[in-house]
C-alpha cells in the first residue's frame, strides 16, 4: 500500500508540475506575443518562425540525445494533419486578435472557452456531464468574463471578428487535439514535432491567402533596418512557443480538456498583472474585480473535479477497509489494472 501511495504522490506532483509549467508559459506568452506583433507586424511570418524554432529545436535536441521524439512518417502525419490544421487556425486567429485588440480583449474571449469546451467534451467525446458544482463554477467564470468585457473601450468590428473566430477555433482545438493526444499514441515530444512541422508546412498557403507575402516583400525592398527590439521580442516568443508546445501537450495528456482549458483561463491573472505594468491600455478597477471573479470560478472548478462526491467517498472508504482486512498483497493485486481501481 505504501508503494501505491508513493506512486500516487509522484504522479500528483508530476501532473502539477506540467500544469504549472503550462500556466506560466501561457500567461507570459500572451504578453510576449503582443509585444512581438507590435514590433513585428507580420502575424503569419511570426507564427512560422515560432513553428520553425519548435520543430527544428526538437529535431536538433533529439539528434544530440537530449530528448526522444517519434520518428516522422507520412502515415502518422496524415492522421495528425487535421489536428495540426485546427491548431494552426487557433494560433493564426489568436495572433491576429492580438494584432487588432488589446490583451484584455484576448483574455475575455479566452475566458469563455471552458464552458464551451465542457459542452463539446460531453457532446462529441462522450465524457460525463459536469457536476452541478462544476457547472456553477463554469458559469462564475462566464459571469466574470462578461463583466470584464463591459470595461473594454477598444471595441472595433475587426477586433471582435477575430475574437469570435478565435473563440470558435480554440474551442474546437481544445477538444479535438485532446482526442488526438488520447488516441494517436505519440510521445509528448513527438506531438510537439509533428504539430509544429505540419503547421510550418501550412504557413506559405496562409501567407498567399492573406496577402501578407506582398507586405513582407515590400518591406524587404525598402532597405529595412534591423530593429533590435523586434529581434528580441520575436526571439523570445519563439523560445516560449517551444516551451508551451511541450507543456501544453504534456498537460493535455495529464488532465481533461476542460481542466486544461480552465488552467489556461485562470493563469491569465499573471498576464493581466504584467499587462498593467507594461501598457497603459488595460482594464478598469471594475474589470480587474471581474477577473478575480473569473479566478474564483477557476478555483471552484478545481475543487469540484478533485473532491469526490459523497457516494464516491463512501465507495473509496469501503475499498480501503476491505484492503486492510485482506492485506496489502491482495490490495495491490486488485488494482493492477485488470479490475476496477480507485
Amino acid at each position: 500500500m505504501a508503494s501505491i501511495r508513493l506512486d500516487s504522490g509522484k504522479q500528483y506532483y508530476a501532473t502539477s508540475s506540467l500544469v504549472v509549467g503550462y500556466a506560466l508559459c501561457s500567461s507570459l506568452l500572451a504578453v510576449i506575443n503582443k509585444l512581438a506583433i507590435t514590433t513585428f507586424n507580420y502575424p503569419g511570418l511570426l507564427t512560422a518562425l515560432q513553428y520553425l524554432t519548435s520543430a527544428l529545436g526538437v529535431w536538433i535536441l533529439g539528434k544530440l540525445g537530449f530528448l526522444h521524439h517519434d520518428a516522422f512518417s507520412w502515415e502518422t502525419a496524415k492522421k495528425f494533419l487535421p489536428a495540426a490544421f485546427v491548431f494552426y487556425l487557433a494560433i493564426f486567429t489568436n495572433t491576429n486578435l492580438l494584432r487588432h485588440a488589446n490583451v484584455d480583449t484576448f483574455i475575455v474571449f479566452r475566458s469563455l472557452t471552458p464552458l464551451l469546451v465542457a459542452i463539446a467534451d460531453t457532446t462529441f467525446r462522450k465524457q460525463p456531464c459536469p457536476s452541478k458544482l462544476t457547472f456553477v463554477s463554469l458559469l462564475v467564470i462566464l459571469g466574470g468574463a462578461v463583466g470584464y468585457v463591459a470595461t473594454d473601450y477598444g471595441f472595433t468590428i475587426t477586433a471582435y471578428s477575430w475574437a469570435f473566430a478565435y473563440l470558435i477555433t480554440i474551442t474546437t482545438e481544445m477538444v479535438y487535439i485532446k482526442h488526438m493526444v488520447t488516441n494517436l499514441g505519440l510521445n509528448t515530444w513527438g506531438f510537439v514535432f509533428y504539430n509544429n512541422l505540419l503547421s510550418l508546412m501550412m504557413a506559405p498557403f496562409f501567407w498567399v491567402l492573406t496577402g501578407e507575402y506582398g507586405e513582407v516583400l515590400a518591406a524587404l525592398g525598402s532597405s529595412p533596418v534591423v530593429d533590435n527590439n523586434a529581434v528580441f521580442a520575436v526571439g523570445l516568443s519563439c523560445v516560449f512557443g517551444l516551451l508551451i508546445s511541450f507543456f501544453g501537450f504534456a498537460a493535455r495528456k495529464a488532465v481533461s480538456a476542460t481542466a486544461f482549458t480552465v488552467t489556461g483561463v485562470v493563469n491569465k491573472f499573471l498576464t493581466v498583472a504584467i499587462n498593467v505594468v507594461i501598457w497603459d491600455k488595460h482594464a478598469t478597477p471594475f474589470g480587474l474585480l471581474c477577473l478575480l471573479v473569473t479566478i474564483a470560478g477557476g478555483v471552484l472548478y478545481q475543487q469540484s473535479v478533485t473532491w469526490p462526491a459523497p457516494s464516491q467517498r463512501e465507495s473509496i472508504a469501503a475499498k480501503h477497509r476491505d484492503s486492510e482486512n485482506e492485506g496489502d498483497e491482495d490490495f495491490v493485486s486488485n488494482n493492477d489494472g485488470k479490475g476496477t481501481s480507485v
Side-chain angles (χ1 to χ4, degrees):
M1 182 181 296
S3 63
I4 292 177
R5 289 174 179 170
L6 183 60
D7 290 341
S8 177
K10 289 181 178 179
Q11 181 64 37
Y12 172 79
Y13 286 114
T15 301
S16 299
S17 298
L18 293 173
V19 172
V20 170
Y22 168 73
L24 288 174
C25 290
S26 179
S27 59
L28 292 172
L29 189 59
V31 176
I32 292 171
N33 276 342
K34 177 62 178 180
L35 179 63
I37 201 64
T38 301
T39 58
F40 187 77
N41 196 22
Y42 306 104
L45 183 56
L46 174 63
T47 55
L49 291 172
Q50 293 173 343
Y51 299 141
L52 176 62
T53 300
S54 296
L56 190 60
V58 170
W59 183 79
I60 291 175
L61 291 174
K63 288 295 184 181
L64 295 176
F66 289 105
L67 57 84
H68 169 73
H69 65 83
D70 297 277
F72 182 84
S73 74
W74 285 109
E75 188 65 29
T76 303
K78 286 189 290 185
K79 293 179 181 178
F80 192 75
L81 184 60
F85 179 71
V86 174
F87 172 82
Y88 187 99
L89 288 179
I91 299 299
F92 180 76
T93 53
N94 176 8
T95 306
N96 278 279
L97 171 58
L98 288 172
R99 185 187 190 187
H100 295 283
N102 56 32
V103 175
D104 294 344
T105 305
F106 161 73
I107 293 173
V108 167
F109 280 85
R110 184 68 172 79
S111 300
L112 295 175
T113 55
L115 184 59
L116 297 179
V117 169
I119 295 172
D121 231 5
T122 302
T123 304
F124 299 108
R125 298 187 63 240
K126 307 304 179 184
Q127 297 296 304
C129 292
S131 66
K132 291 181 180 179
L133 183 57
T134 300
F135 193 75
V136 168
S137 68
L138 293 172
L139 288 180
V140 171
I141 294 174
L142 177 62
V146 171
Y148 200 75
V149 75
T151 67
D152 184 16
Y153 53 83
F155 177 89
T156 65
I157 296 298
T158 300
Y160 271 71
S161 297
W162 282 113
F164 279 107
Y166 171 70
L167 181 62
I168 294 171
T169 55
I170 194 63
T171 302
T172 305
E173 188 257 359
M174 288 289 179
V175 178
Y176 188 65
I177 290 190
K178 175 63 180 179
H179 170 75
M180 295 298 294
V181 166
T182 304
N183 296 283
L184 197 56
L186 296 172
N187 68 7
T188 300
W189 286 115
F191 278 113
V192 174
F193 182 66
Y194 272 93
N195 197 48
N196 286 281
L197 182 60
L198 291 175
S199 296
L200 180 62
M201 293 178 180
M202 298 178 201
F205 171 77
F206 281 87
W207 291 346
V208 175
L209 183 66
T210 61
E212 185 178 317
Y213 76 98
E215 297 177 23
V216 174
L217 291 177
L220 290 175
S222 61
S223 302
V225 177
V226 177
D227 186 339
N228 292 332
N229 291 331
V231 171
F232 173 77
V234 171
L236 195 61
S237 72
C238 289
V239 171
F240 270 81
L242 174 58
L243 291 175
I244 201 172
S245 290
F246 170 75
F247 282 111
F249 278 110
R252 287 175 202 268
K253 280 189 173 183
V255 299
S256 70
T258 305
F260 179 80
T261 308
V262 171
T263 301
V265 170
V266 174
N267 66 50
K268 292 302 181 286
F269 177 78
L270 179 58
T271 303
V272 171
I274 298 172
N275 183 48
V276 169
V277 174
I278 293 179
W279 285 291
D280 57 354
K281 294 181 178 180
H282 49 73
T284 63
F286 175 76
L288 295 178
L289 177 63
C290 291
L291 176 63
L292 292 178
V293 172
T294 301
I295 294 174
V299 174
L300 182 63
Y301 169 83
Q302 186 62 34
Q303 293 298 317
S304 72
V305 297
T306 56
W307 185 252
S311 60
Q312 292 175 308
R313 293 199 296 269
E314 292 174 3
S315 175
I316 293 172
K319 290 185 178 183
H320 279 299
R321 286 195 298 271
D322 292 341
S323 69
E324 291 174 358
N325 293 332
E326 295 173 6
D328 289 352
E329 183 177 348
D330 291 337
F331 181 82
V332 173
S333 66
N334 286 336
N335 289 277
D336 60 0
K338 297 178 182 178
T340 302
S341 60
V342 177

